[in-house]
Amino acid sequence: MIGVGLIGYGLSGSAFHAPYVHVTAGLELRAVVSRDPAKVRVNRPDMRVVPDVTALLAKPDIDLVIVASPDALHAEHAVAALGSGRHVLVDKPFATSLADAERMAAAAAASGTLLTAFHNRRWDADFLTLQDLLASGRLGRIVSLESRFDRWRPTPATTWKEARSGGSWYDLGPHLIDQALVLFGRPLGITADLASLRNAAPAPDYFHAVLRYPDKRVVLHSTKLAAAHDLRFSVHGTDGSWIKHGIDPQEAAVLAGKLPGGAGWGHDPQDGTLVLPGAAPAPLANRAGDYRLFWQALARAIRGEGPNPVPPADALAVIELLDAGLRSSAHRVEVLL
């Protein structure tokens, strides 16, 4: 059994990590770092709660540390856990700077332990469906892809996440960037525009980034001022197009209190539309999404039975693009990679 320690019990720790540890064979949540034990024990009454990371790392039965603390602490907490010989999973964003990300990767290499990033949206229903579609060749050569995470949140919340450095670019951007890199690899350059468009927004709440490839363009877009925010993907190739509305249902299900699993888990009922020349637009059934696949792969990797589901090099590539996007927006230029 792999003993798990969780740093942080906010939305990420309580909804995206603890429930999945609970349902993954071979993983056992044994301690949580939190300044609010009562909050943890609302739904985990017997959980061992410790006041800080030092206390967690003093526990001999912790093999895997999940870093779900505020972004600015990711590097500090990950390096400390790696230095103590623990495997480490870091929530997104992996780090707040490229230098910190490189320091974390170096610490993992020095310790010989596993370091991974929580890019769970590789296992979204729509993204798995898109990967299958591209592999089939039905769209021909892809010439453009637009990937969107829009929201309708006109009033900024009074939380640290709303004021995080980089704003939504560092919140939602990692998901969109990682998916683009999985599909097409490293682009030649990035042109990004970040802006704060809501009244009194403490950090950017809008981004529009164009990744330039030799034979295609990939657009990553997000705004929190979109009353019509249903478009998720728009993909065009030399032989056809695929349009997808709606979002993977797994996040909403867990936030509603459901444990991952059971009949219909990860089923996205809003099929995409396949448009091929000479044929009527037709629905394309979605694959089921399943974030549990990440956790199962992580457990196998720790046991030495399979590869790291998201290697540090993948996490570094995302941070490189996040950093380049910030510089592009600040100087209003394309940043070459």
Side-chain angles (χ1 to χ4, degrees), residues 180-269:
L181 292 175
V182 168
L183 292 177
F184 304 122
R186 192 168 182 258
L188 300 175
I190 179 173
T191 304
D193 177 26
L194 279 60
S196 301
L197 300 182
R198 295 176 297 174
N199 293 332
D205 52 21
Y206 165 96
F207 63 79
H208 187 90
V210 179
L211 308 185
R212 181 170 61 88
Y213 292 86
D215 61 347
K216 66 180 64 68
R217 298 294 181 266
V218 173
V219 173
L220 311 178
H221 181 92
S222 178
T223 178
K224 294 186 178 181
L225 279 175
H229 55 268
D230 201 40
L231 180 62
R232 177 66 185 91
F233 283 109
S234 178
V235 184
H236 305 289
T238 55
D239 294 336
S241 299
W242 179 73
I243 310 298
K244 176 66 175 71
H245 292 83
I247 192 127
D248 182 276
Q250 294 176 85
E251 176 179 342
V254 174
L255 292 177
K258 298 179 181 178
L259 273 179
W265 179 260
H267 171 64
D268 182 350

Side-chain angles (χ1 to χ4, degrees), residues 125-148:
D126 49 26
F127 187 66
L128 293 174
T129 303
L130 174 57
Q131 286 183 291
D132 283 352
L133 179 59
L134 297 191
S136 75
R138 296 180 72 185
L139 299 184
R141 180 175 62 83
I142 302 304
V143 297
S144 68
L145 180 147
E146 183 175 3
S147 176
R148 303 177 72 104

Side-chain angles (χ1 to χ4, degrees), residues 34-322:
S34 176
R35 292 175 295 181
D36 188 356
K39 179 180 179 181
V40 178
R41 291 181 177 132
V42 166
N43 54 6
R44 303 187 183 279
D46 300 322
M47 183 54 57
R48 179 171 55 178
V49 181
V50 296
D52 53 39
V53 175
T54 300
L56 177 70
L57 298 182
K59 305 295 183 185
D61 61 344
I62 302 299
D63 308 297
L64 168 66
V65 172
I66 301 172
V67 177
S69 47
D71 303 351
L73 298 173
H74 282 187
E76 174 187 337
H77 290 163
V79 169
L82 291 164
S84 72
R86 271 47 178 245
H87 306 291
V88 173
L89 162 61
V90 184
D91 198 34
K92 61 84 191 169
F94 185 66
T96 56
S97 72
L98 187 56
D100 274 348
E102 291 170 341
R103 182 161 61 95
M104 294 156 67
S111 67
T113 51
L114 181 145
L115 172 63
T116 191
F118 191 57
H119 286 306
N120 60 309
R121 290 196 176 273
R122 294 185 182 189
W123 291 271
D124 275 357
D126 49 26
F127 187 66
L128 293 174
T129 303
L130 174 57
Q131 286 183 291
D132 283 352
L133 179 59
L134 297 191
S136 75
R138 296 180 72 185
L139 299 184
R141 180 175 62 83
I142 302 304
V143 297
S144 68
L145 180 147
E146 183 175 3
S147 176
R148 303 177 72 104
F149 269 168
D150 291 335
R151 302 285 187 269
W152 176 244
R153 296 177 183 171
T155 303
T158 56
T159 63
W160 69 265
K161 289 188 176 182
E162 286 279 8
R164 74 202 321 160
S165 178
S168 58
W169 180 234
Y170 266 75
D171 178 21
L172 301 174
H175 290 313
L176 303 187
I177 290 171
D178 181 65
Q179 289 183 339
L181 292 175
V182 168
L183 292 177
F184 304 122
R186 192 168 182 258
L188 300 175
I190 179 173
T191 304
D193 177 26
L194 279 60
S196 301
L197 300 182
R198 295 176 297 174
N199 293 332
D205 52 21
Y206 165 96
F207 63 79
H208 187 90
V210 179
L211 308 185
R212 181 170 61 88
Y213 292 86
D215 61 347
K216 66 180 64 68
R217 298 294 181 266
V218 173
V219 173
L220 311 178
H221 181 92
S222 178
T223 178
K224 294 186 178 181
L225 279 175
H229 55 268
D230 201 40
L231 180 62
R232 177 66 185 91
F233 283 109
S234 178
V235 184
H236 305 289
T238 55
D239 294 336
S241 299
W242 179 73
I243 310 298
K244 176 66 175 71
H245 292 83
I247 192 127
D248 182 276
Q250 294 176 85
E251 176 179 342
V254 174
L255 292 177
K258 298 179 181 178
L259 273 179
W265 179 260
H267 171 64
D268 182 350
Q270 197 164 355
D271 292 335
T273 300
L274 184 63
V275 182
L276 302 178
L284 180 69
N286 295 312
R287 281 185 57 181
D290 199 344
Y291 298 160
R292 294 174 299 171
L293 296 174
F294 168 84
W295 294 93
Q296 292 162 9
L298 175 58
R300 289 194 298 271
I302 289 173
R303 293 194 298 264
E305 299 170 358
N308 186 337
V310 183
D314 291 5
L316 282 169
V318 172
I319 299 299
E320 178 191 26
L321 271 171
L322 287 170

